[in-house]
Amino acid sequence: MTPPTPASDTAAARALVEDFSLEMTGKDIPALLEARAVIPQGTKINVTFLGNEDLPMRVAAAKAVRDNGFLPVPHISARRLSSETELREFLNALGEVGALDSVFAVGGDPSEPLGPYASAYDLIATGIFQEYGVREVNIAGYPEGHPDIPTPDLWDQLEMKASSLKLQGLETTILTQFGFDTDPILTWIQDVRGRGIDATIRLGVPGPAGIKRLLGFARRFGIGANTAIVKKYGFSITNLLGTAGPDTFVNDLAAELAAQPATGSVKIHLYAFGGLLATSEWAREFKVAPRTSKESAQ
């Protein structure tokens, strides 16, 4: 593959980062308030559905996102829901704070469902999102696979979810797990488009964070992080005391996407492993002057 030129890097990279989205937990309201002046108004901010947080905490976080001028995307974890009643309680509460325009339907971490929903498709197939006025549903994508789900099953589920949402007249965004290597991501995008799925894709990108922390998340989610891959990303696993940003990765990804226009609508989703403020400041600075990771470290 021919390395992209710096000129092609800059314009494409700025465009890719222009409409980024973010992610926070129910406990991150103070961090959101700290970072709000740096985050562009209207930015989509996903609110996770963690097992150690309750529904009121998630609703409060979604309300804080809305109240500060951003667009909340609350996660709804199928296997963590104990009943349809709990699901409706959550949707009602989100509706009351104006946080139901867009949601992220995901299977969730538990190996066994706590209630009637074993997968995100089970949630989507009920038609309940239409009933509550949801306009857009985000669904998960895994460019490097999933440690517990066979790849053919991932593709079957993705096609089923995308098809069901299209039949229901709901907008669809595919939100991916983060990665360090552009090659499997680009191959996966081509496979998505080859299956006739034209939904917007938001590629997961880790924001700037400590190297040890980044590698810890990579191991947890089964992301490839060997020496060659992380060097390509822009840091070395022999120096776990430093920090790393996604500059090199975003530049390379943007240039390669620009050379393949058939990839359709592709944006990025920043995982704020180093905090909302640091991640948002990185995005603001990168949009002004895209840099390589080496330049960022100088």
Side-chain angles (χ1 to χ4, degrees):
M1 183 177 295
T2 303
T5 64
S8 65
D9 258 0
T10 301
R14 281 176 172 160
L16 183 60
V17 177
E18 185 60 37
D19 184 24
F20 67 92
S21 56
L22 288 166
E23 188 150 324
M24 64 179 281
T25 73
K27 298 175 182 177
D28 284 339
I29 294 176
L32 175 68
L33 298 179
E34 179 188 31
R36 62 184 170 183
V38 184
I39 306 172
Q41 290 287 286
T43 296
K44 287 186 173 182
I45 301 181
N46 287 38
V47 178
T48 57
F49 197 114
L50 300 179
N52 60 354
E53 297 177 353
D54 58 22
L55 294 184
M57 187 180 294
R58 299 171 193 131
V59 173
K63 182 177 186 299
V65 171
R66 173 66 70 187
D67 288 349
N68 283 279
F70 312 117
L71 300 179
V73 183
H75 290 202
I76 301 177
S77 178
R79 288 189 289 275
R80 290 194 186 278
L81 293 166
S82 61
S83 65
E84 180 183 331
T85 298
E86 183 181 14
L87 172 58
R88 290 186 179 276
E89 176 187 350
F90 190 29
L91 294 174
N92 277 320
L94 290 171
E96 289 173 0
V97 299
L100 260 185
D101 186 64
S102 179
V103 300
F104 179 38
V106 64
D109 291 335
S111 57
E112 296 294 330
L114 302 181
Y117 310 111
S119 68
Y121 176 75
D122 289 344
L123 287 176
I124 292 166
T126 64
I128 200 167
F129 294 134
Q130 266 191 329
E131 182 181 338
Y132 279 83
V134 173
R135 180 188 60 81
E136 176 194 49
V137 176
N138 293 245
I139 55 178
Y142 299 94
E144 294 189 52
H146 189 287
D148 300 318
I149 304 174
T151 297
D153 291 350
L154 289 175
W155 282 117
D156 288 345
Q157 286 288 315
L158 184 64
E159 290 180 310
M160 289 166 60
K161 288 181 287 189
S163 176
S164 181
L165 290 169
K166 180 170 283 191
L167 288 173
Q168 294 179 49
L170 296 173
E171 294 184 25
T172 305
T173 292
I174 304 172
L175 179 62
T176 80
Q177 187 52 268
F178 71 91
F180 294 130
D181 189 358
T182 58
D183 291 343
I185 291 171
L186 291 164
T187 298
W188 178 84
I189 292 173
Q190 292 168 352
D191 288 344
V192 170
R193 300 311 187 206
R195 293 166 187 266
I197 300 173
D198 58 3
T200 292
I201 294 173
R202 282 194 177 271
L203 298 172
V205 175
I211 293 172
K212 188 174 181 179
R213 183 174 177 82
L214 287 174
L215 293 176
F217 276 105
R219 285 191 294 269
R220 176 182 172 188
F221 294 111
I223 304 300
N226 63 39
T227 302
I229 289 174
V230 298
K231 183 178 180 181
K232 179 180 177 182
Y233 185 82
F235 66 89
S236 170
I237 60 176
T238 61
N239 178 19
L240 300 182
L241 299 179
T243 60
D247 305 76
T248 297
F249 176 82
V250 171
N251 274 311
D252 291 349
L253 180 64
E256 292 178 33
L257 286 169
Q260 303 177 37
T263 54
S265 175
V266 178
K267 304 178 181 182
I268 66 168
H269 176 76
L270 293 171
Y271 289 94
F273 297 142
L276 284 170
L277 180 59
T279 302
S280 303
E281 287 178 336
W282 173 85
R284 180 181 64 180
E285 294 168 7
F286 188 88
K287 286 191 289 185
V288 173
R291 300 172 296 176
T292 66
S293 289
K294 289 183 180 180
E295 291 170 336
S296 299
Q298 293 175 350

